[in-house]
Amino acid sequence: MSNVQDALFRTLADPTRRAIFERLCREGDQTVGALTARAGISQPAVSKHLGVLKRAGLVSDRPEGRQTHYSARREALAPLADWTSEMGGFWRGKFDDLEDLLKRMDQ
């Protein structure tokens, strides 16, 4: 597993960060204030989580006036999609091998 994949899994392992990322994916750009209103945690805590998401490349920010708007970078999930696809292929091969073995045992 690559360092990028490790960082993405580690970042999204936190349920609060995962919820913030999901909200940005589903609802689009939001300010820290809007995210804080529904997060159930303080604004500094939301800002801290956004910083972690930003360092992992999962969100980007855009200053506009006195506020900063955050948006999800869905393309940053590509290394995780690649890994899950690779693991899916691995396990499909193992199940095919098991199926072949069971057929030979039945003969």
Side-chain angles (χ1 to χ4, degrees):
M1 186 177 290
S2 75
N3 289 340
V4 172
Q5 291 166 334
D6 287 346
L8 291 171
F9 275 118
R10 193 173 29 256
T11 299
L12 292 173
D14 183 279
T16 302
R17 281 195 290 273
R18 199 169 50 250
I20 291 170
F21 182 73
E22 286 178 14
R23 187 165 166 203
L24 290 170
C25 286
R26 293 179 196 277
E27 300 174 14
D29 294 9
Q30 299 199 26
T31 63
V32 174
L35 290 166
T36 300
R38 291 177 40 198
I41 57 175
S42 68
Q43 186 273 323
V46 170
S47 292
K48 183 177 176 182
H49 285 296
L50 285 167
V52 174
L53 288 164
K54 186 177 174 185
R55 283 192 296 280
L58 290 165
V59 300
S60 60
D61 60 354
R62 173 181 45 85
E64 189 174 302
R66 295 175 55 189
Q67 296 187 323
T68 301
H69 295 257
Y70 288 88
S71 59
R73 295 188 61 246
R74 293 181 186 97
E75 68 276 12
L77 294 175
L80 297 184
D82 292 344
W83 182 82
T84 54
S85 176
E86 182 182 327
M87 288 294 100
F90 170 80
W91 285 109
R92 275 189 296 281
K94 292 294 183 189
F95 284 123
D96 289 345
D97 292 346
L98 178 61
E99 187 176 352
D100 291 342
L101 176 65
L102 293 173
K103 285 179 183 174
R104 285 194 308 259
M105 291 174 68
D106 283 344
Q107 294 174 356

